[in-house]
Amino acid sequence: MRHAAREFARREWGPLFGTVRTALVTKRWRAAPLTLGAVCLTALFQLVQNQDWGYQPVQDIGSVRAEDPLWLALLRTPLSLFVPALDLPVWGALAQVLLVFGIAEICVGRWRTLGIAYLATLAGTLYARVGIALGPDSPFGLPASDAQVVDTGPSAAVVGLAVYVCWRYRAYRTGWLVVVAMVVEVIMKANLAGKEHLAAIAAVLVLIAVQARRGRGQDTGGVGPRPGTRSWKPPIRS
């Protein structure tokens, strides 16, 4: 049983662990400068928004609500990713950013990490408007009161990045576990945050499908893979 567990862990997480460990050993903190910057920015926003003088400025630049004009929500979305939710402990947001952003930055590259994070966050932001338009009677709908809920934090980006990295490193069971956990979250408590997580996953799954289809087309259009390997192409990095 113990041997089987070790073998499963090696197959599921071995390539991922090896990539992260090598980067941390050889580059140390330089392996994930984007992640360290994101952690510092999140901590700064948390500190400022808890001051009497700082709450409103943070709201003005990084607070998103579905009732806001769309152009204003889109303008605030990039920074909203780094504004911790006031009703949740900030250490949770910092831990999510440090762990998931760090792994993603090392494994898929800095700019791809940032792009996927914003894709997932934007998907959640736009879904909120669609969900409110559908109304509470729809399985994918939301009550009108959710239009006033402040929608900030890195959770949608974290979920999207986790699913993408699992796909890239063939940790498929872990990726599906993340998806199932988010579905269970919505079943147990069908709130705005939970449904936005599913919207973020859906957006990332569409991206994965597009990249997988493009990859299959490239693999069949020229020289075939080397014997004993899945593909002759090295992992894509940015």
Side-chain angles (χ1 to χ4, degrees), residues 89-159:
V90 67
W91 62 262
L94 294 176
Q96 288 177 5
V97 172
L98 182 63
L99 181 63
V100 179
F101 272 64
I103 292 174
E105 183 175 1
I106 290 170
C107 292
V108 302
R110 183 182 313 159
W111 297 113
R112 185 170 280 108
T113 295
L114 193 60
I116 293 169
Y118 280 134
L119 170 67
T121 302
L122 183 61
T125 297
L126 295 178
Y127 158 74
R129 296 169 181 271
V130 175
I132 290 167
L134 291 174
D137 295 331
S138 169
F140 302 103
L142 295 167
S145 59
D146 279 353
Q148 301 174 355
V149 174
V150 176
D151 181 18
T152 61
S155 58
V158 164
V159 170

Coordinates of all heavy atoms in Angstrom, one line a residue, residues 89-159:
P89 N -9.7 36.1 6.2 CA -8.3 36.4 6.8 C -7.3 36.6 5.6 O -7.3 35.9 4.7 CB -8.0 35.1 7.6 CG -8.9 34.1 7.0 CD -10.2 34.8 6.6
V90 N -6.5 37.7 5.8 CA -5.6 38.0 4.7 C -4.5 37.0 4.6 O -4.0 36.8 3.4 CB -4.9 39.4 5.0 CG1 -4.0 39.3 6.3 CG2 -4.2 39.9 3.8
W91 N -4.2 36.2 5.6 CA -3.2 35.2 5.4 C -3.6 34.1 4.4 O -2.7 33.5 3.8 CB -2.8 34.6 6.8 CG -4.0 33.8 7.5 CD1 -4.8 34.3 8.4 CD2 -4.4 32.5 7.2 NE1 -5.7 33.4 8.8 CE2 -5.5 32.3 8.0 CE3 -4.0 31.5 6.3 CZ2 -6.2 31.1 8.0 CZ3 -4.7 30.3 6.3 CH2 -5.8 30.1 7.1
G92 N -4.9 33.9 4.3 CA -5.3 32.9 3.3 C -5.0 33.4 1.9 O -4.6 32.6 1.1
A93 N -5.3 34.7 1.6 CA -5.0 35.2 0.3 C -3.5 35.2 0.0 O -3.1 34.9 -1.1 CB -5.6 36.7 0.2
L94 N -2.7 35.6 1.0 CA -1.3 35.6 0.8 C -0.7 34.2 0.6 O 0.2 34.0 -0.3 CB -0.6 36.3 2.1 CG -0.9 37.7 2.3 CD1 -0.3 38.2 3.6 CD2 -0.4 38.6 1.2
A95 N -1.2 33.3 1.3 CA -0.8 31.9 1.1 C -1.1 31.4 -0.3 O -0.3 30.7 -0.9 CB -1.4 31.0 2.2
Q96 N -2.4 31.7 -0.7 CA -2.8 31.2 -2.0 C -1.9 31.8 -3.1 O -1.4 31.1 -4.0 CB -4.2 31.7 -2.3 CG -5.3 30.9 -1.5 CD -6.7 31.5 -1.7 OE1 -6.9 32.4 -2.6 NE2 -7.6 30.9 -1.0
V97 N -1.6 33.1 -3.0 CA -0.8 33.8 -4.0 C 0.6 33.2 -4.0 O 1.2 32.9 -5.0 CB -0.8 35.3 -3.8 CG1 0.3 36.0 -4.7 CG2 -2.1 35.9 -4.0
L98 N 1.2 33.1 -2.8 CA 2.6 32.6 -2.7 C 2.7 31.2 -3.2 O 3.6 30.9 -4.0 CB 3.0 32.6 -1.2 CG 4.5 32.2 -1.0 CD1 5.5 33.1 -1.7 CD2 4.7 32.1 0.5
L99 N 1.8 30.3 -2.9 CA 1.9 28.9 -3.3 C 1.6 28.7 -4.8 O 2.4 28.2 -5.6 CB 1.0 28.0 -2.4 CG 1.1 26.5 -2.7 CD1 2.5 26.0 -2.4 CD2 0.0 25.8 -1.8
V100 N 0.3 29.1 -5.1 CA -0.1 28.7 -6.5 C 0.5 29.6 -7.5 O 0.9 29.1 -8.6 CB -1.7 28.8 -6.5 CG1 -2.2 28.5 -7.9 CG2 -2.3 27.9 -5.5
F101 N 0.6 30.9 -7.3 CA 1.2 31.8 -8.2 C 2.7 31.4 -8.4 O 3.3 31.4 -9.5 CB 1.2 33.3 -7.8 CG -0.1 34.0 -8.3 CD1 -1.3 33.6 -7.9 CD2 0.0 35.1 -9.1 CE1 -2.5 34.2 -8.3 CE2 -1.1 35.7 -9.6 CZ -2.4 35.3 -9.2
G102 N 3.4 31.1 -7.3 CA 4.8 30.7 -7.3 C 5.0 29.4 -8.2 O 5.9 29.4 -9.0
I103 N 4.2 28.4 -7.9 CA 4.3 27.2 -8.7 C 4.0 27.5 -10.2 O 4.8 27.0 -11.1 CB 3.4 26.1 -8.2 CG1 3.8 25.6 -6.8 CG2 3.3 24.9 -9.1 CD1 2.9 24.7 -6.1
A104 N 3.0 28.2 -10.5 CA 2.6 28.5 -11.9 C 3.7 29.3 -12.5 O 4.1 29.1 -13.7 CB 1.3 29.3 -11.9
E105 N 4.3 30.3 -11.8 CA 5.3 31.2 -12.5 C 6.6 30.3 -12.8 O 7.1 30.5 -13.9 CB 5.7 32.3 -11.5 CG 6.7 33.2 -12.1 CD 7.1 34.4 -11.3 OE1 6.5 34.5 -10.1 OE2 7.9 35.3 -11.7
I106 N 6.9 29.4 -12.0 CA 8.1 28.5 -12.2 C 7.8 27.6 -13.4 O 8.6 27.3 -14.2 CB 8.5 27.8 -11.0 CG1 9.1 28.8 -9.9 CG2 9.5 26.7 -11.3 CD1 9.3 28.2 -8.6
C107 N 6.6 27.0 -13.4 CA 6.2 25.9 -14.3 C 5.8 26.4 -15.7 O 6.1 25.7 -16.7 CB 5.2 25.0 -13.7 SG 5.7 24.1 -12.2
V108 N 5.1 27.5 -15.8 CA 4.6 27.9 -17.1 C 5.0 29.3 -17.5 O 4.7 29.7 -18.6 CB 3.0 27.8 -17.1 CG1 2.5 26.5 -16.8 CG2 2.4 28.9 -16.2
G109 N 5.8 30.0 -16.7 CA 6.3 31.3 -17.1 C 5.6 32.4 -16.5 O 4.4 32.3 -16.1
R110 N 6.3 33.5 -16.4 CA 5.7 34.7 -15.7 C 4.5 35.3 -16.4 O 3.5 35.6 -15.9 CB 6.8 35.8 -15.6 CG 6.5 37.1 -14.9 CD 7.7 38.0 -14.9 NE 8.9 37.3 -14.6 CZ 10.1 37.7 -14.9 NH1 10.3 38.8 -15.6 NH2 11.2 37.0 -14.5
W111 N 4.7 35.5 -17.7 CA 3.6 36.2 -18.5 C 2.4 35.3 -18.7 O 1.3 35.8 -18.7 CB 4.1 36.8 -19.8 CG 5.2 37.8 -19.6 CD1 6.5 37.7 -19.9 CD2 5.0 39.1 -18.9 NE1 7.2 38.8 -19.5 CE2 6.3 39.7 -18.9 CE3 3.9 39.7 -18.4 CZ2 6.5 41.0 -18.4 CZ3 4.1 41.0 -17.8 CH2 5.4 41.6 -17.8
R112 N 2.6 34.1 -18.9 CA 1.5 33.1 -19.0 C 0.7 33.0 -17.7 O -0.5 33.0 -17.6 CB 1.9 31.8 -19.5 CG 0.8 30.8 -19.7 CD 1.2 29.5 -20.4 NE 1.4 29.8 -21.8 CZ 2.5 29.8 -22.5 NH1 3.7 29.7 -21.8 NH2 2.6 30.0 -23.8
T113 N 1.5 33.0 -16.6 CA 0.8 33.0 -15.3 C -0.1 34.3 -15.1 O -1.2 34.2 -14.7 CB 1.9 33.0 -14.1 OG1 2.6 31.8 -14.2 CG2 1.2 33.1 -12.8
L114 N 0.5 35.4 -15.4 CA -0.3 36.7 -15.3 C -1.5 36.7 -16.2 O -2.6 37.1 -15.8 CB 0.6 37.9 -15.6 CG 0.1 39.2 -15.2 CD1 -0.2 39.3 -13.7 CD2 1.1 40.3 -15.6
G115 N -1.3 36.2 -17.4 CA -2.4 36.2 -18.4 C -3.6 35.3 -17.9 O -4.7 35.6 -18.0
I116 N -3.2 34.1 -17.5 CA -4.2 33.1 -17.0 C -4.9 33.6 -15.8 O -6.2 33.5 -15.6 CB -3.6 31.7 -16.8 CG1 -3.2 31.2 -18.1 CG2 -4.6 30.8 -16.1 CD1 -2.3 29.9 -18.0
A117 N -4.2 34.3 -14.9 CA -4.8 34.8 -13.7 C -5.8 35.9 -14.0 O -6.9 35.9 -13.4 CB -3.7 35.4 -12.8
Y118 N -5.5 36.7 -15.0 CA -6.5 37.8 -15.3 C -7.6 37.2 -16.1 O -8.7 37.7 -16.0 CB -5.7 38.9 -16.1 CG -5.0 39.8 -15.2 CD1 -3.7 40.2 -15.5 CD2 -5.6 40.4 -14.1 CE1 -3.0 41.1 -14.7 CE2 -5.0 41.2 -13.3 CZ -3.7 41.6 -13.6 OH -3.0 42.5 -12.7
L119 N -7.4 36.2 -17.0 CA -8.4 35.5 -17.7 C -9.5 35.0 -16.7 O -10.7 35.1 -16.8 CB -7.9 34.4 -18.6 CG -8.9 33.5 -19.2 CD1 -9.8 34.2 -20.2 CD2 -8.2 32.3 -19.9
A120 N -9.0 34.3 -15.7 CA -9.9 33.6 -14.7 C -10.6 34.7 -13.9 O -11.8 34.6 -13.6 CB -9.1 32.7 -13.7
T121 N -9.9 35.8 -13.5 CA -10.5 36.8 -12.7 C -11.6 37.6 -13.6 O -12.7 37.9 -13.1 CB -9.5 37.8 -12.2 OG1 -8.5 37.2 -11.4 CG2 -10.1 39.0 -11.4
L122 N -11.3 37.8 -14.8 CA -12.2 38.5 -15.7 C -13.4 37.6 -16.0 O -14.6 38.2 -16.0 CB -11.5 38.9 -17.0 CG -12.3 39.6 -18.0 CD1 -12.8 41.0 -17.5 CD2 -11.6 39.8 -19.3
A123 N -13.2 36.3 -16.1 CA -14.4 35.4 -16.3 C -15.3 35.5 -15.1 O -16.6 35.5 -15.3 CB -13.9 34.0 -16.5
G124 N -14.8 35.5 -13.9 CA -15.6 35.6 -12.8 C -16.4 37.0 -12.7 O -17.6 37.0 -12.4
T125 N -15.7 38.0 -13.0 CA -16.3 39.4 -13.0 C -17.4 39.5 -14.0 O -18.5 40.0 -13.7 CB -15.2 40.4 -13.3 OG1 -14.2 40.4 -12.3 CG2 -15.8 41.8 -13.4
L126 N -17.2 39.0 -15.2 CA -18.3 39.0 -16.2 C -19.4 38.1 -15.9 O -20.6 38.4 -16.2 CB -17.7 38.7 -17.6 CG -16.6 39.7 -18.1 CD1 -16.1 39.3 -19.5 CD2 -17.2 41.1 -18.2
Y127 N -19.1 36.9 -15.3 CA -20.1 36.0 -15.0 C -21.1 36.6 -14.0 O -22.4 36.4 -14.1 CB -19.6 34.7 -14.4 CG -20.6 34.0 -13.5 CD1 -21.7 33.3 -14.2 CD2 -20.7 34.1 -12.2 CE1 -22.7 32.7 -13.4 CE2 -21.7 33.6 -11.4 CZ -22.7 32.9 -12.1 OH -23.7 32.3 -11.3
A128 N -20.6 37.4 -13.0 CA -21.5 38.0 -12.0 C -22.6 38.8 -12.7 O -23.8 38.7 -12.3 CB -20.7 38.9 -11.1
R129 N -22.3 39.5 -13.8 CA -23.4 40.2 -14.5 C -24.4 39.3 -15.2 O -25.6 39.6 -15.2 CB -22.7 41.2 -15.5 CG -21.8 42.2 -14.8 CD -21.0 43.0 -15.8 NE -20.2 44.0 -15.0 CZ -20.6 45.2 -14.8 NH1 -21.7 45.7 -15.2 NH2 -19.8 46.0 -14.1
V130 N -23.8 38.3 -15.8 CA -24.7 37.3 -16.5 C -25.6 36.6 -15.5 O -26.8 36.4 -15.7 CB -23.9 36.3 -17.3 CG1 -24.8 35.2 -17.9 CG2 -23.1 37.0 -18.3
G131 N -25.0 36.2 -14.3 CA -25.8 35.5 -13.3 C -26.9 36.3 -12.7 O -28.0 35.8 -12.5
I132 N -26.6 37.6 -12.5 CA -27.7 38.5 -12.0 C -28.8 38.7 -13.0 O -30.0 38.7 -12.7 CB -27.1 39.8 -11.5 CG1 -26.2 39.6 -10.3 CG2 -28.2 40.8 -11.3 CD1 -25.3 40.7 -9.9
A133 N -28.4 38.8 -14.3 CA -29.4 38.9 -15.4 C -30.3 37.6 -15.5 O -31.5 37.7 -15.7 CB -28.7 39.1 -16.7
L134 N -29.7 36.5 -15.2 CA -30.5 35.2 -15.3 C -31.4 35.1 -14.1 O -32.5 34.5 -14.2 CB -29.5 34.0 -15.3 CG -28.7 33.8 -16.5 CD1 -27.7 32.7 -16.3 CD2 -29.6 33.5 -17.7
G135 N -31.0 35.6 -12.9 CA -31.9 35.6 -11.8 C -31.8 34.4 -10.9 O -31.2 33.4 -11.3
P136 N -32.3 34.4 -9.7 CA -32.1 33.3 -8.7 C -32.8 32.1 -9.1 O -32.5 31.0 -8.5 CB -32.6 33.9 -7.4 CG -33.6 35.0 -7.9 CD -33.1 35.6 -9.1
D137 N -33.8 32.1 -10.0 CA -34.5 30.9 -10.4 C -33.7 30.0 -11.3 O -34.1 28.8 -11.5 CB -35.8 31.3 -11.0 CG -36.8 32.0 -10.1 OD1 -36.7 31.7 -8.8 OD2 -37.6 32.8 -10.5
S138 N -32.7 30.5 -11.9 CA -31.8 29.7 -12.8 C -30.7 29.0 -12.0 O -30.2 29.6 -11.1 CB -31.2 30.6 -13.9 OG -30.2 29.9 -14.6
P139 N -30.4 27.8 -12.4 CA -29.2 27.1 -11.7 C -27.9 27.9 -11.8 O -27.1 27.8 -10.9 CB -29.1 25.8 -12.5 CG -30.4 25.6 -13.1 CD -31.0 27.0 -13.5
F140 N -27.8 28.7 -12.9 CA -26.6 29.5 -13.1 C -26.8 31.0 -12.7 O -25.9 31.8 -13.0 CB -26.1 29.4 -14.5 CG -25.8 28.0 -14.9 CD1 -26.7 27.3 -15.8 CD2 -24.7 27.3 -14.5 CE1 -26.5 26.0 -16.2 CE2 -24.4 26.0 -14.9 CZ -25.4 25.3 -15.7
G141 N -27.9 31.3 -12.1 CA -28.3 32.6 -11.8 C -27.9 33.1 -10.4 O -27.4 32.3 -9.6
L142 N -28.0 34.4 -10.1 CA -27.7 35.0 -8.9 C -28.8 35.9 -8.4 O -29.5 36.5 -9.3 CB -26.4 35.8 -9.0 CG -25.1 35.0 -9.2 CD1 -24.0 35.9 -9.6 CD2 -24.7 34.1 -8.0
P143 N -29.0 36.1 -7.2 CA -30.0 37.1 -6.7 C -29.5 38.6 -7.0 O -28.3 38.8 -7.1 CB -30.1 36.9 -5.2 CG -28.8 36.3 -4.8 CD -28.4 35.4 -6.0
A144 N -30.5 39.4 -7.2 CA -30.1 40.8 -7.5 C -29.3 41.5 -6.5 O -28.5 42.4 -6.8 CB -31.4 41.6 -7.7
S145 N -29.4 41.1 -5.2 CA -28.6 41.7 -4.2 C -27.1 41.5 -4.3 O -26.3 42.2 -3.8 CB -29.0 41.1 -2.8 OG -28.9 39.7 -2.8
D146 N -26.7 40.4 -5.1 CA -25.3 40.2 -5.3 C -24.6 41.3 -6.2 O -23.4 41.3 -6.3 CB -25.1 38.8 -6.0 CG -25.1 37.7 -5.0 OD1 -25.2 38.0 -3.8 OD2 -25.1 36.5 -5.4
A147 N -25.4 42.1 -6.8 CA -24.9 43.2 -7.6 C -24.1 44.2 -6.7 O -23.2 44.9 -7.2 CB -26.0 43.9 -8.4
Q148 N -24.4 44.2 -5.4 CA -23.8 45.1 -4.5 C -22.6 44.5 -3.8 O -21.9 45.2 -3.0 CB -24.8 45.7 -3.5 CG -26.0 46.4 -4.2 CD -27.0 46.8 -3.2 OE1 -27.0 46.5 -2.1 NE2 -28.0 47.5 -3.7
V149 N -22.4 43.2 -4.0 CA -21.3 42.6 -3.3 C -19.9 43.0 -3.8 O -19.7 43.0 -5.1 CB -21.4 41.0 -3.4 CG1 -20.2 40.3 -2.8 CG2 -22.7 40.6 -2.7
V150 N -19.0 43.3 -3.0 CA -17.7 43.7 -3.4 C -16.9 42.4 -3.8 O -16.8 41.5 -3.1 CB -16.9 44.4 -2.2 CG1 -15.4 44.7 -2.7 CG2 -17.6 45.7 -1.8
D151 N -16.4 42.4 -5.0 CA -15.9 41.2 -5.7 C -14.4 41.5 -5.9 O -13.9 42.0 -6.9 CB -16.6 41.0 -7.0 CG -16.0 39.7 -7.7 OD1 -15.4 38.9 -7.0 OD2 -16.3 39.6 -8.9
T152 N -13.6 41.1 -4.9 CA -12.1 41.2 -5.0 C -11.4 40.0 -4.5 O -12.1 39.1 -3.9 CB -11.6 42.4 -4.1 OG1 -11.9 42.2 -2.7 CG2 -12.2 43.7 -4.6
G153 N -10.1 39.9 -4.7 CA -9.3 38.8 -4.2 C -8.8 37.9 -5.2 O -9.3 37.9 -6.4
P154 N -7.8 37.0 -4.9 CA -7.1 36.2 -5.9 C -7.7 34.8 -6.1 O -7.2 34.0 -6.8 CB -5.7 36.1 -5.3 CG -6.0 36.1 -3.8 CD -7.2 37.0 -3.6
S155 N -8.8 34.5 -5.4 CA -9.3 33.1 -5.4 C -9.6 32.6 -6.8 O -9.2 31.4 -7.1 CB -10.5 32.9 -4.4 OG -11.5 33.8 -4.8
A156 N -10.3 33.3 -7.6 CA -10.6 32.9 -9.0 C -9.4 32.6 -9.8 O -9.2 31.6 -10.5 CB -11.5 33.9 -9.7
A157 N -8.4 33.5 -9.7 CA -7.1 33.3 -10.4 C -6.4 32.1 -9.9 O -5.8 31.4 -10.7 CB -6.3 34.6 -10.2
V158 N -6.4 31.9 -8.6 CA -5.7 30.7 -8.0 C -6.3 29.4 -8.5 O -5.6 28.5 -8.9 CB -5.8 30.8 -6.4 CG1 -5.5 29.5 -5.8 CG2 -4.9 31.9 -5.9
V159 N -7.6 29.4 -8.5 CA -8.3 28.2 -9.0 C -8.0 27.9 -10.5 O -7.7 26.8 -10.9 CB -9.8 28.3 -8.8 CG1 -10.6 27.1 -9.5 CG2 -10.2 28.2 -7.3

